[in-house]
Amino acid sequence: KQLTSAEVRQMYLDFFKSKGHSVEPSASLVPVDDPTLLWINSGVATLKKYFDGSIVPENPRITNAQKSIRTNDIENVGRTARHHTMFEMLGNFSIGDYFKKEAIHWAWEFLTSPEWIGFDPEKLYVTVYPKDTEAKRIWLEEVGLPADHVVEVEDNFWDIGAGPSGPDSEIFYDRGEEFNDLAADDPENYPGGENERYLEIWNLVFSEFNHKPDDTYEPLPHKNIDTGMGLERMVSIIQDAPTNFETDLFLPIIHAIEEISGAVKYGASPVTDVSFKVIADHIRALSFAIGDGALPSNEGRGYVLRRLLRRAVMHGQKLQIQDSFLYKLVPVVGKIMESYYPEVLEKQAFIEKVIRTEEERFHETINEGLAILDQVIVQVKADNNDTLNGKDIFKLYDTYGFPVELTEEIAEEAGLKVDHAGFEKEMDAQRERARAARSNEVSMGEQSALLTDIKVDSQYVGYERLQAESELLV
Ligand code: ATP
Ligand code: MG
Ligand code: MG
Ligand code: MG
């Protein structure tokens, strides 16, 4: 019998409970007292208070299942098998207690013991930092992995430029040759690379150095362990699903979308499948984030939500869904997640109302954009031009939130060519402005101790906001 997602989550927590860990409940997606973060984006993000010593935990061994949002992966959603905006990270943590040896042995035991997950050890590969001979030795000599299952990767060092840092070791599952998506000689085609065959499931971070301002590293007096496992990816393997979406975490949402569409079935074509996946992903992020108190708006977190909702609506149109529909998916999400996260069903009416209102407003925006686009098209023709220029496409996108694809489709239907390269140029200029602002943010950030004491990966507020603005293409 296949494990359900709820069973896998519980099994992880039970395993680490059996190793002396205390279970910490999932915290809100909206960071509390932490101006450096736009969203909670990992299990460790909510435990910062213990890692920086501001609070001493009753038990230095902690485990959790933490809902997380990463906007940096938005472009990947629906296109890779494995990326979400909102996902759950399962983690075990040592605050100056156990270290590398235990972290590695326990990870292996959990994954391969028939009493727990029971994966075939031959399917598992690990990466290590080349200079971390200790981790390599443990994997080879103590765990007994064959040499070709331990891969040295130069990037396996977690470091944000200051504060605690150290090597990490990641665990990959070989899904088999049929998932090969890269050419044999592609540099990413190896266990540890960016590919669909070797699925990254778990990251073990060994935080053992203090990166000092003079760019030297000294050993930390108390070494820490921080790990993160992606629940959706684990479940995809366990439930033998080709992507994270064909699991009990997403299929009920996809079926509900099929029913609303009436016209398009999941599996009908790769293009419409992306739309199903994007909608299923985004409605989870929206439901949870709104349940945790974030609201759609024009800046920061709210802007991320607005963009997620608009993307989902546009993908709905590709499935021939014309009316507001996202709000109808909220109870489906709530039901799937109920056992560990009752909050969505508890706040269902409120979440539905926020989403529905925002959807209806977006439909109005689309109508306004359509009116403006009509005028522009008339003008282009009156000027005896045959092309809608990139600046106009960009303006509709940037000022009115009008989706680029839609602009181009309508212009082409009206017999015009579209200057897509010109639009891309405008986008590049905007990204450049964002990058410039971002590098300011980061160098400011590095001077603040608050920002430097914890794993941060694309989490400065300004960075996230600007990144969201430049990359959340509808
Ligand atoms: P990837 O390389 O696949 O983008 P990552 O190296 O950025 O993942 P980590 O920061 O190491 O991810 O996070 C720990 C674990 O969390 C990953 O091994 C993966 O299982 C899971 N994870 C990370 N990002 C996502 C995401 N966007 N969607 C689903 N799971 C994720
Ligand atoms: Mg990533
Ligand atoms: Mg990775
Ligand atoms: Mg990783």
Side-chain angles (χ1 to χ4, degrees):
K1 184 189 148 274
Q2 276 177 352
L3 294 171
T4 64
S5 54
E7 286 167 341
V8 176
R9 187 193 296 112
Q10 195 54 48
M11 203 181 247
Y12 185 95
L13 300 174
D14 288 346
F15 177 82
F16 283 101
K17 234 183 337 193
S18 80
K19 306 294 183 196
H21 292 59
S22 299
V23 180
E24 185 104 351
S26 182
S28 167
L29 281 165
V30 177
V32 179
D33 292 335
D34 187 348
T36 69
L37 274 175
L38 194 59
W39 300 103
I40 291 301
N41 65 356
S42 58
V44 72
T46 64
L47 304 177
K48 202 166 170 171
K49 54 188 190 263
Y50 303 137
F51 279 80
D52 68 11
S54 60
I55 294 181
V56 177
E58 263 172 50
N59 182 351
R61 299 182 180 189
I62 294 168
T63 183
N64 66 4
Q66 176 62 48
K67 45 190 168 174
S68 305
I69 287 183
R70 290 192 181 182
T71 56
N72 65 308
D73 283 327
I74 211 153
E75 301 284 321
N76 286 327
V77 173
R79 297 196 161 79
T80 70
R82 61 191 192 280
H83 286 103
H84 303 294
T85 52
M86 194 210 92
F87 64 101
E88 285 178 73
M89 212 186 270
L90 303 168
N92 56 288
F93 306 89
S94 161
I95 319 292
D97 186 54
Y98 65 85
F99 197 50
K100 213 174 280 188
K101 186 181 168 82
E102 293 85 345
I104 290 177
H105 280 280
W106 288 340
W108 190 255
E109 182 185 348
F110 179 70
L111 290 175
T112 61
S113 159
E115 274 173 65
W116 301 96
I117 298 296
F119 282 158
D120 174 359
E122 287 187 8
K123 305 268 195 209
L124 297 172
Y125 288 78
V126 304
T127 59
V128 294
Y129 183 61
K131 289 196 188 117
D132 190 359
T133 52
E134 174 69 357
K136 187 169 183 180
R137 191 192 62 72
I138 295 171
W139 283 118
L140 289 173
E141 291 174 20
E142 297 187 15
V143 175
L145 283 185
D148 63 345
H149 282 237
V150 181
V151 184
E152 294 186 2
V153 172
E154 198 59 52
D155 286 349
N156 276 27
F157 194 88
W158 168 63
D159 190 353
I160 58 157
S165 60
D168 63 82
S169 183
E170 295 195 307
I171 305 174
F172 291 77
Y173 186 93
D174 180 3
R175 302 202 298 152
E177 260 171 32
E178 65 269 35
F179 288 98
N180 260 334
D181 61 328
L182 300 179
D185 61 351
D186 190 300
E188 287 298 321
N189 195 1
Y190 70 97
E194 291 287 320
N195 61 65
E196 295 280 38
R197 172 171 176 176
Y198 301 99
L199 179 62
E200 180 189 327
I201 50 178
W202 202 348
N203 189 356
L204 316 177
V205 180
F206 316 126
S207 176
E208 58 182 307
F209 300 109
N210 181 28
H211 186 161
K212 295 200 296 183
D214 64 1
D215 249 354
T216 59
Y217 293 83
E218 66 183 4
L220 281 172
H222 300 290
K223 301 184 197 311
N224 304 310
I225 289 294
D226 150 23
T227 87
M229 167 193 275
L231 174 68
E232 298 77 7
R233 296 182 187 187
M234 280 294 285
V235 173
S236 79
I237 300 168
I238 290 166
Q239 298 183 357
D240 205 13
T243 79
N244 289 4
F245 292 91
E246 292 84 15
T247 63
D248 64 0
L249 287 165
F250 291 92
L251 273 181
I253 313 175
I254 288 175
H255 290 146
I257 302 166
E258 277 182 323
E259 219 163 276
I260 294 167
S261 160
V264 187
K265 288 263 173 266
Y266 190 55
S269 86
V271 174
T272 46
D273 281 357
V274 169
S275 295
F276 278 107
K277 290 172 185 172
V278 169
I279 296 167
D281 174 89
H282 290 8
I283 191 60
R284 284 188 358 139
L286 285 162
S287 301
F288 274 93
I290 293 167
D292 282 347
L295 288 172
S297 74
N298 270 336
E299 53 178 33
R301 269 187 281 279
Y303 190 70
V304 172
L305 295 187
R306 179 156 283 167
R307 288 297 197 173
L308 286 175
L309 182 133
R310 290 178 170 195
R311 279 169 63 98
V313 169
M314 293 314 302
H315 280 283
Q317 302 215 333
K318 293 191 181 167
L319 304 178
Q320 300 176 40
I321 303 173
Q322 305 303 339
D323 296 331
S324 298
F325 73 105
L326 288 170
Y327 72 94
K328 296 179 190 164
L329 301 171
V330 175
V332 185
V333 172
K335 194 91 195 94
I336 295 168
M337 306 297 275
E338 185 181 14
S339 68
Y340 202 73
Y341 303 96
E343 58 263 38
V344 172
L345 286 186
E346 278 164 15
K347 296 175 189 155
Q348 180 184 338
F350 172 74
I351 299 168
E352 284 176 357
K353 189 164 167 231
V354 171
I355 290 179
R356 187 173 188 169
T357 308
E358 181 70 14
E359 268 188 286
E360 283 166 1
R361 276 181 57 182
F362 183 48
H363 286 296
E364 283 167 29
T365 305
I366 291 185
N367 291 337
E368 271 172 45
L370 282 175
I372 291 162
L373 180 55
D374 278 345
Q375 286 171 15
V376 175
I377 290 173
V378 168
Q379 191 59 49
V380 170
K381 289 184 171 171
D383 295 344
N384 270 329
N385 280 331
D386 64 353
T387 306
L388 184 66
N389 72 44
K391 275 202 163 66
D392 283 331
I393 305 173
F394 181 76
K395 188 170 175 205
L396 274 158
Y397 161 73
D398 193 48
T399 312
Y400 299 99
F402 200 67
V404 180
E405 289 162 31
L406 199 59
T407 304
E408 299 191 343
E409 210 175 287
I410 293 167
E412 281 165 351
E413 273 167 19
L416 295 182
K417 289 186 252 176
V418 296
D419 175 17
H420 189 76
F423 166 75
E424 287 296 340
K425 230 176 95 186
E426 297 293 326
M427 282 303 293
D428 284 343
Q430 195 195 50
R431 286 195 193 102
E432 200 39 60
R433 290 192 294 276
R435 230 188 314 276
R438 188 160 78 213
S439 64
N440 272 342
E441 294 276 347
V442 173
S443 57
M444 272 158 36
E446 281 171 359
Q447 288 158 23
S448 150
L450 193 70
L451 288 170
T452 56
D453 57 4
I454 201 85
K455 178 174 187 178
V456 283
D457 167 12
S458 67
Q459 48 186 227
Y460 299 99
V461 175
Y463 178 105
E464 285 265 358
R465 191 188 67 236
L466 293 162
Q467 197 183 24
E469 278 169 6
S470 64
E471 286 175 10
L472 268 167
L473 280 168
V474 172

